[in-house]
Amino acid sequence: MDGGEKMKIMNMVNAINDALDIKLKEDRNTIVYGQDVGVEGGVFRVTEGLQKKYGNDRVFDTPLAESGIVGTAVGMSVAGLRPVVEIQFSGFVYPAFNQIISHAARMRNRSRGRYQTPIVIRMPYGGGINALEHHSESMEALFGHIPGVKVVIPSSPHDAKGMLISAVESNDTIIFMEPKRIYRAIKQEVSEDKYSIPLGKANIISQGTDVTLVAYGAMIREAQKAMILAKEAGISVELIDLRSIYPIDRDTIANSVKKTGRIITVTESPKSFGVASEITQVVNEDAFLYLEAPPKRITGFDTIVPLPKGEHHYMISPEKIFYDIEKTVKF
Amino acid sequence: MDGGEKMKIMNMVNAINDALDIKLKEDRNTIVYGQDVGVEGGVFRVTEGLQKKYGNDRVFDTPLAESGIVGTAVGMSVAGLRPVVEIQFSGFVYPAFNQIISHAARMRNRSRGRYQTPIVIRMPYGGGINALEHHSESMEALFGHIPGVKVVIPSSPHDAKGMLISAVESNDTIIFMEPKRIYRAIKQEVSEDKYSIPLGKANIISQGTDVTLVAYGAMIREAQKAMILAKEAGISVELIDLRSIYPIDRDTIANSVKKTGRIITVTESPKSFGVASEITQVVNEDAFLYLEAPPKRITGFDTIVPLPKGEHHYMISPEKIFYDIEKTVKF
Amino acid sequence: MFKEYNPIQDKLFRIIDDDGMIINKEWMPELSDEQIVNAYKEMLFARTADLQIVSYQRQGRIYTYPPNYGQEAISGATGAVMREDDWLVPAFREMGAYLAKGATLKELFLYFMGYEDGSLFKDAKNILPISVPIASQLVHATGIGYEIKYNNKDQVVFAFVGDGGTSEGDFHEALNFAGTWKVPVIFIVQNNQYGISTPFSVQTASENIAIKSVAYGIEGIMVDGNDYFAMYAALKNAAKRTGEGNGPVLVEAVTYRKGAHTTSDDPTKYRTKEEEEEWDKKDPLKRLKAYLIDKKLWSEKEEERVIPQYKKEIDSQFEEAENYPESSLDDVFQFMYDEMPEDLQKQKVEQEKFLTWMEERK
Amino acid sequence: MFKEYNPIQDKLFRIIDDDGMIINKEWMPELSDEQIVNAYKEMLFARTADLQIVSYQRQGRIYTYPPNYGQEAISGATGAVMREDDWLVPAFREMGAYLAKGATLKELFLYFMGYEDGSLFKDAKNILPISVPIASQLVHATGIGYEIKYNNKDQVVFAFVGDGGTSEGDFHEALNFAGTWKVPVIFIVQNNQYGISTPFSVQTASENIAIKSVAYGIEGIMVDGNDYFAMYAALKNAAKRTGEGNGPVLVEAVTYRKGAHTTSDDPTKYRTKEEEEEWDKKDPLKRLKAYLIDKKLWSEKEEERVIPQYKKEIDSQFEEAENYPESSLDDVFQFMYDEMPEDLQKQKVEQEKFLTWMEERK
Ligand SMILES: Cc1ncc(C[n+]2csc(CCOP(=O)(O)OP(=O)(O)O)c2C)c(N)n1
Ligand SMILES: Cc1ncc(C[n+]2csc(CCOP(=O)(O)OP(=O)(O)O)c2C)c(N)n1
Ligand SMILES: [Mg+2]
Ligand SMILES: [Mg+2]
């Protein structure tokens, strides 16, 4: 990094706020809105201070209606704006599902490239915060199955900022899911300058030889803890942060498996039809002959995420990851 | 079959109508409603004659609002009725997505077993009928990822009747997807009596030794055509009709792969995050050591289903299936 | 106008009666004879095309098509009021409005023949493609309205929906957002009395549709949608009002779908001959024609002269559409993303390999 | 009543003024002194509990909780009007109504402590669990209403939603279906002026919420939600009306959320002290108390006597909740389906294996 770069300790909330700030400053077409993002600065304070800085017509609160939020973004973006909308919790995105799947994902194709919908749909997701019902789900795979949108998930403040800047600058509709469990739990030095991280590429967090561990979002932290246990047990783990749920970075994953022969995917989502299954399919397609053990998935159950008092039954612990690492390596 | 059984030539539309008729007659709590299902008898005539027979309060038209349709069914079912609702095309189910994922799928769990939502959500799905946009999609995988609902798809008139009767009698919410492309294309002898086919079990349509072919819905017919080509090429195919998307019948699939060593899944849906990936995961978990070739998926693309003039680019032909059978067997 | 025709009083705004006689001089719009004749001609053209398409469909030359038959005055008036820069947000049953905006019949034919390019409306400025998921397009109109307001543009959005569409949640959210944002959008509800087979009385217990405007604190008016002058005057007024920053307007155009829902529908199953005949009396073309004939601006002879011309024009555009180049595999992939992701490229390449194999196999 | 207080005229239905004096004798409900005193006591109990919970939360003994503080008259009146067989379809901010239906404070505590069993409301007949996705529960109310009508039952549904919730599409669909089906449902909107930080003026440009009833052809009334008598009279009337087959009723209860949205919210960020003080004058307990004291039915002394009792009762139920048995792995799986699918059983077994491994590892 060159000497001019100014670094600052940020958590993910700060980093996202910073990315929005940069894009709002840089491009008058950028508009930020959603429920309570204005005066309140968002229930997680992600948009704090932005309304004051950029005015009510650029950062504002909406009526309580998700289809309206995403649907108006479709209209705005077709007309040339670049809306970044917030869904308060990913569990409340479903009223907007039709606007996402039927319009945001299809407008470019439908209009044969005449119109595009450069929308970013931000939403906190995932468990582990002792929340009420519908506040803990990880349903990213649903969006992965929708042709026409991209789905990305950062795992650190640094990534969150760089990926969000890419998302806002993308001409596609980006589902930007934020692991709320680590909104404030991880702090790191983040450049105050503008930088971007390309969407669609996974990130090899640490190299290893015995098994490939794929995770993303809040699960990266758990995976890293599991790696300590694995190291103690003499197992060398290659950790990949998927970053992009769709499109999946096939090459990075396949190349890693070609080296390790083994792969485990960790996701908080329900077990069936999740991201892990897709990765298993990809690995079977691209690295079948290298596989020395069945690709393993570590996921939630095919159940509702329990309320706080039962959530520990559902959540994935570093021990659970280690348990499966060991089983996979010993296979 | 014993001698008393009366058989009748039916297509799938007739068979579904017959199943509804039987359940309406048998159980006053059964209620059928949706857009244009009453006077009109449904845009595909699936509910033809039922309103006349059972009256306006048991078979009726609703306002044009899918969330209202599914949401009121949640309320009715909690209060003791057993609604069978129709979504006119599966492409229009998304406004109801929130009611399905947040309520129909969760009410029993939320209320700790006090309330249940025995709802059947019927919807025609799939391509190949030269339709307008949004009338050709196969998005069953989206529902497969929702804990708390079951998802089933019949491939013949016989199955449609037996599976729908099971669905109406189930105390769970059943997503019942109907392959509209073969609504009238397949006719067969179907018993006029009441019978049911258990949900959750796959059906081995024909035994084989070289490769397992898993398909469902309208793809069964294409798979059968491909098998003729395979036979000519001396390849013995075991064809499994999945019938149930969730839960998946792991044992039937794994046992077949243990025999054949090879598996191909055919679905009309987008490629990524589809049913094929889930089956590949299951096979890797349950029959890894038997695999002699990578589990293959034959699917649509990660694109919008094209309008009629381009649909042939997207649709899966028997030749395409044969092409992949050959590649898999030769692997 | 909006005060006088407050929908709470269930008042219908009309200018001519069923026989084309002016019954409401006060609001008669200032239109030149030529403009009126042109309006009639456009409506006649649309109707001729409509009937022609139904016959193409019977010949198997086009897929399902939703006729506008009986609703021509609404599209006609919209077309006349819309300016080049204004936005048109279609549902799917307002052919005349697309044509007025610069779309071609050929493009419409392409659309209903199943060509993707039928959604392009190449020479029409500021028009969205046809929207199939009912009412979902209304929220887009509100969003476009926001952009107009944000950038202080002199534009108005004309957004269409049917009576059935008013039942969808998106109708509510679109009008509610538009009301609070005070954006320049005119929501035009073509109340043609049916959503497929479902009569208006099953859609809502609301007295009329225009009255739903009070739920959003916006203006609403119930207009005789088969009265060209009334539609013109109402839309003109609405456009002025909303363009001046007074917020959105809900215009209910009371009309009747004289044809089937689409070419695959059979209305005799759900409505009576008597009802159809009752509405025939209110036919929008019949009424405008009576007006014109009365004013000696039009004649049966003239009509007999233009219709064959129209038919020829329609046929010629239809044939052009029929000779449209085949869609390519590229077409399926190229507009999915701004840049095609690698995996998608691979999917295309794989398909090409398969096609080569197919070729070689022959 | 619904004619007299037509929401189109933006009229607010009140019976007592801010000082507890009757200003609308005509509609004063016939309630015995005992009933009124009991109503006050219930509201006082609810408020005491509410304030207590906020302090539990500060002590870290309970998770996020949405206080009802300031809105007690609405739940109180609902509780008094609801019959045993009637249905209650909650949102999440109407504690008094749950208690009146037979739910216990302990259960509520369990819910907000994060126990699944907190949704059980074991001894409350015909009550749905708390619904978190805003407004989505209203459609259920309409569905339940259908069942009541279908089976000719003598029941009414009381369904709750907030002012914010009226913006959701489901509000529209629920009321529209209910209107056409003419089902016995009372939709009670607690208009507490905010949806989290978002003021009513941002939710809708509609003059008031009750007026939205005209969009569905149903009755609507705007009631002073801080006036126990007005709420009681309105709901009693609405229940009679709708129970007799006249279709649903929309009751807007104008109130103010005196507390924070939830214990994790800070209202000073988005509202002024002046506004809060203005609404303090309209406090529902203050007003009913003034009425009672004036009638010599209540005294400060009496209040001082009961509050400690209430606190003790609340503490005791809270402690019971705190000692609730831990949730088991079974609890996660057992209610997902009528019969647990094989695959789900396997998932449970696998987890158990892992837990055994964990145990052994220690
Ligand atoms: C969300 C959705 N649900 C259902 C349909 C199927 N459908 C197409 S047109 C139609 C009726 C539309 O009625 P209306 O809004 O009155 O418009 P009209 O056809 O009368 O012009 C229906 C139900 C659809 N296109 N979208
Ligand atoms: C569909 C949905 N979107 C967003 C939320 C998050 N949320 C919870 S309460 C609330 C505000 C509700 O406001 P209102 O309806 O006025 O009820 P109040 O809290 O004032 O009682 C929001 C936005 C939610 N629970 N559900
Ligand atoms: Mg209509
Ligand atoms: Mg509120």
Side-chain angles (χ1 to χ4, degrees):
Chain A
M1 298 180 182
D2 72 44
E5 199 174 20
K6 262 179 46 196
M7 305 297 283
K8 197 177 158 184
I9 299 286
M10 294 189 196
N11 61 28
M12 196 180 280
V13 166
N14 308 140
I16 296 171
N17 184 284
D18 194 34
L20 293 173
D21 195 352
I22 288 171
K23 288 309 303 175
L24 280 162
K25 188 179 304 164
E26 203 178 80
D27 179 6
R28 200 187 151 271
N29 284 327
T30 301
I31 302 277
V32 171
Y33 66 98
Q35 291 156 18
D36 307 295
V37 303
V39 182
E40 169 109 333
V43 289
F44 288 104
R45 308 289 178 260
V46 170
T47 54
E48 189 137 55
L50 298 176
Q51 183 175 70
K52 242 194 189 137
K53 210 156 162 184
Y54 297 101
N56 275 359
D57 59 340
R58 298 196 57 205
V59 180
F60 54 91
D61 297 330
T62 63
L64 207 173
E66 289 75 12
S67 188
I69 291 171
V70 175
T72 53
V74 169
M76 285 185 200
S77 60
V78 155
L81 299 180
R82 303 184 78 88
V84 182
V85 299
E86 177 177 302
I87 300 292
Q88 206 158 73
F89 286 85
S90 68
F92 306 133
V93 72
Y94 305 114
F97 212 75
N98 189 37
Q99 286 295 336
I100 295 172
I101 196 168
S102 301
H103 293 298
R106 302 175 77 123
M107 188 59 89
R108 178 189 283 107
N109 186 68
R110 181 185 300 145
S111 70
R112 304 281 84 198
R114 177 171 180 180
Y115 298 118
Q116 60 184 15
T117 50
I119 306 168
V120 180
I121 305 175
R122 291 183 41 243
M123 45 186 159
Y125 86 98
I129 63 153
N130 289 323
L132 289 173
E133 205 193 340
H134 307 283
H135 289 72
S136 307
E137 284 69 18
S138 300
M139 299 300 278
E140 55 280 4
L142 290 180
F143 298 103
H145 194 53
I146 302 178
V149 299
K150 290 183 173 177
V151 188
V152 301
I153 300 182
S155 69
S156 70
H158 170 79
D159 283 13
K161 177 170 169 181
M163 287 166 68
L164 184 52
I165 286 178
S166 290
V168 180
E169 294 184 346
S170 165
N171 289 328
D172 297 316
T173 291
I174 312 289
I175 311 288
F176 195 89
M177 298 177 75
E178 302 169 2
K180 59 174 124 53
R181 185 180 174 187
I182 53 168
Y183 257 160
R184 295 172 183 277
I186 300 173
K187 287 187 184 126
Q188 68 183 174
E189 289 227 314
V190 174
S191 168
E192 290 198 276
D193 295 347
K194 180 181 167 184
Y195 64 92
S196 60
I197 295 175
L199 307 183
K201 291 274 161 253
N203 178 30
I204 303 176
I205 292 188
S206 54
Q207 308 259 354
T209 53
D210 296 333
V211 59
T212 300
L213 193 59
V214 178
Y216 51 90
M219 286 301 102
I220 290 293
R221 206 176 51 153
E222 308 309 296
Q224 284 170 324
K225 289 181 196 157
M227 282 171 71
I228 298 173
L229 302 176
K231 205 174 170 189
E232 284 167 10
I235 302 169
S236 163
V237 176
E238 174 140 318
L239 177 61
I240 297 180
D241 179 357
L242 193 59
R243 275 186 179 161
S244 172
I245 306 298
Y246 189 90
I248 279 186
D249 182 353
R250 302 177 69 107
D251 290 350
T252 300
I253 294 166
N255 288 337
S256 176
V257 172
K258 284 178 185 169
K259 190 169 69 175
T260 63
R262 294 174 158 83
I263 183 165
I264 298 174
T265 304
V266 189
T267 87
E268 287 179 66
S269 71
K271 187 179 188 89
S272 297
F273 297 88
V275 174
S277 305
E278 183 59 22
I279 288 180
T280 296
Q281 175 74 55
V282 163
V283 167
N284 273 265
E285 283 167 4
D286 293 359
F288 181 72
L289 293 175
Y290 299 84
L291 278 176
E292 288 164 37
K296 173 81 196 161
R297 53 178 161 179
I298 305 177
T299 67
F301 312 123
D302 286 340
T303 67
I304 312 300
V305 184
L307 296 185
K309 282 291 193 290
E311 204 181 3
H312 62 284
H313 294 304
Y314 184 98
M315 294 302 289
I316 294 157
S317 61
E319 288 75 20
K320 179 72 171 66
I321 300 174
F322 171 63
Y323 168 78
D324 281 317
I325 287 177
E326 212 175 39
K327 287 216 299 192
T328 297
V329 170
K330 285 186 184 155
F331 181 85
Chain B
M1 296 180 183
D2 73 45
E5 198 174 22
K6 262 178 51 194
M7 305 298 282
K8 197 176 158 184
I9 298 286
M10 294 189 196
N11 61 28
M12 197 181 279
V13 167
N14 308 141
I16 295 171
N17 184 283
D18 194 33
L20 293 173
D21 196 351
I22 287 171
K23 288 309 302 176
L24 280 162
K25 187 179 305 165
E26 203 177 80
D27 179 5
R28 200 185 151 272
N29 284 327
T30 301
I31 302 276
V32 171
Y33 67 99
Q35 290 156 19
D36 307 295
V37 302
V39 183
E40 170 110 332
V43 290
F44 288 104
R45 309 287 178 262
V46 171
T47 53
E48 190 138 55
L50 298 176
Q51 182 175 69
K52 245 197 186 134
K53 210 156 161 184
Y54 298 100
N56 275 359
D57 59 340
R58 300 196 55 205
V59 180
F60 54 92
D61 296 330
T62 63
L64 207 173
E66 289 75 12
S67 188
I69 291 172
V70 175
T72 53
V74 169
M76 285 184 200
S77 60
V78 155
L81 298 181
R82 303 184 78 88
V84 182
V85 299
E86 177 176 302
I87 299 292
Q88 206 158 72
F89 286 85
S90 68
F92 305 133
V93 72
Y94 305 114
F97 212 75
N98 189 37
Q99 287 295 336
I100 295 172
I101 196 169
S102 301
H103 292 298
R106 302 174 76 123
M107 189 58 88
R108 177 187 284 108
N109 186 68
R110 179 185 300 143
S111 69
R112 303 281 86 196
R114 179 172 178 179
Y115 298 118
Q116 59 185 16
T117 51
I119 305 168
V120 181
I121 305 176
R122 292 183 40 243
M123 45 186 160
Y125 86 99
I129 62 154
N130 290 323
L132 290 172
E133 206 193 340
H134 307 283
H135 290 72
S136 307
E137 284 70 17
S138 300
M139 299 299 278
E140 56 280 3
L142 291 180
F143 298 103
H145 194 53
I146 302 178
V149 300
K150 291 183 174 178
V151 189
V152 301
I153 301 183
S155 69
S156 69
H158 170 80
D159 283 13
K161 177 169 170 181
M163 287 166 68
L164 183 53
I165 285 178
S166 290
V168 180
E169 294 184 347
S170 165
N171 289 328
D172 297 316
T173 292
I174 311 290
I175 312 288
F176 194 90
M177 298 178 73
E178 301 169 3
K180 60 174 123 54
R181 185 180 175 187
I182 52 167
Y183 257 160
R184 294 173 185 278
I186 299 172
K187 287 186 184 127
Q188 70 183 172
E189 289 227 314
V190 174
S191 168
E192 290 198 276
D193 296 346
K194 181 181 168 185
Y195 64 91
S196 60
I197 294 174
L199 307 183
K201 291 274 160 252
N203 178 31
I204 303 175
I205 291 188
S206 54
Q207 308 259 354
T209 53
D210 296 332
V211 59
T212 301
L213 192 59
V214 178
Y216 51 89
M219 287 301 102
I220 290 293
R221 206 175 50 153
E222 306 311 296
Q224 283 170 324
K225 290 181 196 157
M227 283 171 70
I228 299 173
L229 302 176
K231 203 172 171 188
E232 284 167 10
I235 302 169
S236 163
V237 176
E238 174 139 319
L239 177 61
I240 297 181
D241 180 358
L242 193 58
R243 276 187 179 161
S244 172
I245 306 299
Y246 188 90
I248 278 185
D249 182 353
R250 303 176 69 107
D251 290 349
T252 300
I253 294 167
N255 288 336
S256 176
V257 172
K258 284 178 185 168
K259 188 168 71 173
T260 62
R262 294 173 157 84
I263 182 165
I264 298 174
T265 305
V266 189
T267 87
E268 287 180 66
S269 70
K271 188 180 186 88
S272 297
F273 297 87
V275 174
S277 305
E278 182 59 23
I279 287 179
T280 296
Q281 175 74 55
V282 163
V283 167
N284 273 263
E285 282 168 3
D286 292 358
F288 182 71
L289 293 175
Y290 298 84
L291 279 175
E292 289 165 36
K296 173 81 196 164
R297 52 178 162 181
I298 305 176
T299 67
F301 311 123
D302 286 341
T303 67
I304 312 299
V305 183
L307 297 184
K309 283 290 193 291
E311 203 180 4
H312 63 284
H313 295 303
Y314 184 98
M315 294 303 288
I316 294 157
S317 62
E319 288 74 21
K320 179 72 172 64
I321 299 173
F322 172 63
Y323 169 79
D324 281 317
I325 287 176
E326 211 174 40
K327 288 217 296 193
T328 297
V329 169
K330 286 186 184 155
F331 180 83
Chain C
M1 174 183 291
F2 300 102
K3 266 213 187 100
E4 193 179 331
Y5 291 91
N6 188 332
I8 285 175
Q9 287 142 31
D10 208 20
K11 269 197 206 164
L12 183 70
F13 178 57
R14 304 182 86 191
I15 290 181
I16 51 172
D17 67 11
D18 289 356
D19 300 318
M21 296 298 109
I22 295 186
I23 51 171
N24 186 348
K25 249 197 175 142
E26 186 195 346
W27 290 108
M28 179 69 185
E30 279 174 37
L31 290 165
S32 70
D33 289 348
E34 203 195 327
Q35 282 175 310
I36 304 175
V37 171
N38 274 341
Y40 179 73
K41 281 167 131 181
E42 279 170 18
M43 285 162 60
L44 186 62
F45 181 81
R47 176 165 295 186
T48 310
D50 226 36
L51 297 174
Q52 197 101 325
I53 298 168
V54 174
S55 79
Y56 296 142
Q57 204 277 339
R58 295 235 171 84
Q59 296 159 26
R61 295 165 74 190
I62 193 167
Y63 298 121
T64 315
Y65 171 76
N68 303 250
Y69 186 30
Q71 305 179 207
E72 295 90 348
I74 303 163
S75 282
T78 306
V81 172
M82 261 188 308
R83 299 161 303 174
E84 201 195 340
D85 274 0
D86 289 339
W87 275 88
L88 175 61
V89 176
F92 53 85
R93 200 189 295 283
E94 44 283 321
M95 182 212 283
Y98 315 153
L99 298 183
K101 198 91 189 75
T104 63
L105 250 191
K106 177 183 156 190
E107 285 173 310
L108 265 179
F109 290 148
L110 288 176
Y111 184 80
F112 290 106
M113 282 175 181
Y115 284 101
E116 310 284 344
D117 284 355
S119 289
L120 201 46
F121 298 149
K122 201 159 41 56
D123 297 323
K125 201 174 166 191
N126 294 345
I127 182 172
L128 281 192
I130 283 175
S131 175
V132 174
I134 302 291
S136 58
Q137 69 279 6
L138 300 179
V139 213
H140 311 163
T142 300
I144 294 173
Y146 190 89
E147 190 274 340
I148 294 171
K149 193 176 169 185
Y150 182 72
N151 284 321
N152 256 308
K153 290 180 175 170
D154 180 21
Q155 295 176 338
V156 166
V157 186
F158 293 78
F160 276 85
V161 74
D163 47 321
T166 65
S167 298
E168 286 281 3
D170 271 357
F171 171 85
H172 180 68
E173 300 190 16
L175 272 72
N176 193 48
F177 273 65
T180 58
W181 290 355
K182 277 205 161 204
V183 289
V185 181
I186 304 174
F187 296 99
I188 304 169
V189 182
Q190 299 203 72
N191 182 355
N192 63 7
Q193 313 305 322
Y194 288 90
I196 309 188
S197 72
T198 307
F200 181 55
S201 59
V202 169
Q203 288 299 339
T204 183
S206 164
E207 219 165 333
N208 57 56
I209 289 171
I211 207 175
K212 291 177 189 271
S213 58
V214 302
Y216 312 107
I218 67 176
E219 296 294 355
I221 185 166
M222 178 165 56
V223 186
D224 182 342
N226 289 1
D227 174 345
Y228 179 82
F229 296 120
M231 277 309 300
Y232 183 93
L235 291 174
K236 193 86 187 167
N237 245 277
K240 186 168 174 344
R241 214 194 121 77
T242 195
E244 284 168 356
N246 300 304
V249 180
L250 172 61
V251 175
E252 173 182 5
V254 180
T255 183
Y256 193 72
R257 193 194 73 210
K258 292 185 72 165
H261 169 65
T262 65
T263 41
S264 34
D265 172 50
D266 171 15
T268 62
K269 289 189 79 171
Y270 53 82
R271 61 190 199 192
T272 62
K273 238 201 159 58
E274 293 74 55
E275 180 185 295
E276 292 186 4
E277 279 164 8
E278 212 42 57
W279 278 96
D280 271 344
K281 294 183 195 148
K282 302 192 170 74
D283 182 275
L285 269 81
K286 193 206 75 173
R287 285 160 70 185
L288 189 56
K289 184 168 159 184
Y291 172 89
L292 289 172
I293 288 180
D294 183 63
K295 290 269 182 302
K296 306 249 178 321
L297 295 167
W298 192 253
S299 64
E300 289 295 352
K301 233 174 112 184
E302 185 63 11
E303 186 141 337
E304 277 160 31
R305 193 183 63 80
V306 296
I307 285 183
Q309 287 174 10
Y310 292 171
K311 284 191 172 163
K312 226 172 115 184
E313 167 67 15
I314 293 158
D315 268 334
S316 122
Q317 292 210 38
F318 191 81
E319 276 154 29
E320 265 190 60
E322 278 190 319
N323 292 314
Y324 201 74
E326 272 185 23
S327 106
S328 70
L329 185 61
D330 248 25
D331 278 351
V332 180
F333 288 89
Q334 64 179 325
F335 297 117
M336 288 304 301
Y337 293 90
D338 191 27
E339 284 174 54
M340 204 187 297
E342 243 175 79
D343 193 37
L344 215 48
Q345 288 175 33
K346 279 191 195 154
Q347 292 177 30
K348 202 180 128 214
V349 168
E350 265 186 43
Q351 181 71 2
E352 283 161 349
K353 273 194 208 151
F354 160 65
L355 294 172
T356 312
W357 174 85
M358 277 282 277
E359 272 312 308
E360 285 166 0
R361 222 174 148 241
K362 273 181 194 158
Chain D
M1 174 183 291
F2 299 102
K3 266 215 187 98
E4 193 178 332
Y5 291 92
N6 189 332
I8 286 175
Q9 287 142 31
D10 210 19
K11 269 197 207 163
L12 182 70
F13 177 57
R14 304 183 86 191
I15 290 181
I16 51 173
D17 66 11
D18 290 355
D19 300 318
M21 296 297 108
I22 295 185
I23 52 173
N24 187 348
K25 249 196 176 146
E26 187 195 345
W27 289 108
M28 179 68 186
E30 280 175 34
L31 289 166
S32 68
D33 288 349
E34 201 196 329
Q35 282 176 310
I36 304 175
V37 171
N38 273 341
Y40 179 72
K41 282 167 132 181
E42 278 171 18
M43 286 162 58
L44 186 62
F45 182 80
R47 176 166 294 187
T48 309
D50 226 35
L51 297 174
Q52 197 101 326
I53 298 169
V54 173
S55 80
Y56 296 141
Q57 203 277 339
R58 296 232 172 85
Q59 296 160 26
R61 294 165 74 190
I62 194 167
Y63 298 120
T64 315
Y65 170 77
N68 303 249
Y69 186 28
Q71 306 180 207
E72 295 90 347
I74 303 162
S75 283
T78 306
V81 172
M82 261 188 310
R83 298 162 303 174
E84 202 195 341
D85 273 0
D86 288 340
W87 275 88
L88 175 61
V89 176
F92 53 85
R93 201 190 295 283
E94 43 284 319
M95 182 212 285
Y98 314 153
L99 298 184
K101 199 90 189 75
T104 63
L105 251 192
K106 177 184 156 190
E107 285 173 309
L108 265 179
F109 290 147
L110 288 176
Y111 184 80
F112 289 106
M113 282 176 180
Y115 283 102
E116 309 284 344
D117 285 355
S119 289
L120 200 45
F121 297 149
K122 201 160 39 63
D123 297 323
K125 200 174 167 192
N126 294 345
I127 183 173
L128 281 191
I130 283 176
S131 175
V132 174
I134 302 290
S136 58
Q137 70 278 6
L138 300 179
V139 213
H140 310 163
T142 301
I144 294 173
Y146 189 89
E147 191 274 339
I148 293 172
K149 193 175 171 184
Y150 183 71
N151 284 321
N152 257 309
K153 291 181 175 170
D154 181 21
Q155 295 176 335
V156 166
V157 187
F158 292 79
F160 276 84
V161 73
D163 48 321
T166 65
S167 297
E168 285 282 3
D170 271 358
F171 172 84
H172 180 67
E173 299 190 17
L175 272 72
N176 193 48
F177 272 65
T180 57
W181 291 356
K182 277 205 161 201
V183 289
V185 182
I186 304 174
F187 296 100
I188 304 170
V189 182
Q190 297 202 71
N191 182 355
N192 63 6
Q193 313 304 322
Y194 287 90
I196 309 189
S197 72
T198 306
F200 181 55
S201 59
V202 169
Q203 287 299 341
T204 184
S206 164
E207 219 164 332
N208 56 57
I209 288 171
I211 206 175
K212 291 176 190 271
S213 58
V214 302
Y216 313 107
I218 67 176
E219 297 295 354
I221 186 166
M222 179 164 56
V223 185
D224 182 342
N226 289 2
D227 174 345
Y228 179 83
F229 297 119
M231 277 308 301
Y232 183 93
L235 290 174
K236 192 86 187 167
N237 245 278
K240 187 170 174 343
R241 214 194 121 78
T242 196
E244 284 169 356
N246 299 305
V249 179
L250 173 60
V251 175
E252 174 182 4
V254 181
T255 183
Y256 193 71
R257 193 194 72 212
K258 292 185 72 166
H261 169 66
T262 64
T263 41
S264 35
D265 172 51
D266 171 16
T268 63
K269 290 188 78 170
Y270 52 81
R271 61 188 200 194
T272 62
K273 237 198 160 57
E274 293 75 57
E275 181 185 293
E276 292 185 4
E277 280 164 9
E278 213 42 60
W279 278 96
D280 272 343
K281 295 183 193 149
K282 302 191 167 78
D283 182 275
L285 269 81
K286 194 205 75 172
R287 286 160 69 186
L288 190 54
K289 184 169 158 183
Y291 171 89
L292 289 172
I293 289 179
D294 183 63
K295 290 268 182 303
K296 307 249 182 314
L297 295 168
W298 192 252
S299 65
E300 290 295 351
K301 232 174 113 183
E302 186 61 10
E303 187 141 338
E304 277 161 32
R305 194 183 64 80
V306 296
I307 286 185
Q309 288 174 9
Y310 292 172
K311 284 190 174 163
K312 226 173 114 185
E313 166 69 14
I314 293 158
D315 269 334
S316 122
Q317 293 210 35
F318 191 80
E319 277 153 31
E320 265 190 61
E322 277 189 320
N323 291 314
Y324 201 74
E326 272 186 25
S327 105
S328 70
L329 185 61
D330 247 26
D331 278 351
V332 180
F333 287 89
Q334 64 178 326
F335 297 118
M336 288 304 301
Y337 294 90
D338 191 28
E339 284 173 53
M340 204 187 297
E342 242 175 81
D343 193 36
L344 215 48
Q345 288 175 31
K346 280 189 194 154
Q347 292 178 30
K348 203 181 127 215
V349 169
E350 266 186 44
Q351 183 70 2
E352 283 161 348
K353 273 194 208 152
F354 161 65
L355 294 172
T356 311
W357 175 86
M358 277 281 277
E359 271 312 307
E360 285 167 0
R361 223 176 145 240
K362 275 183 195 159

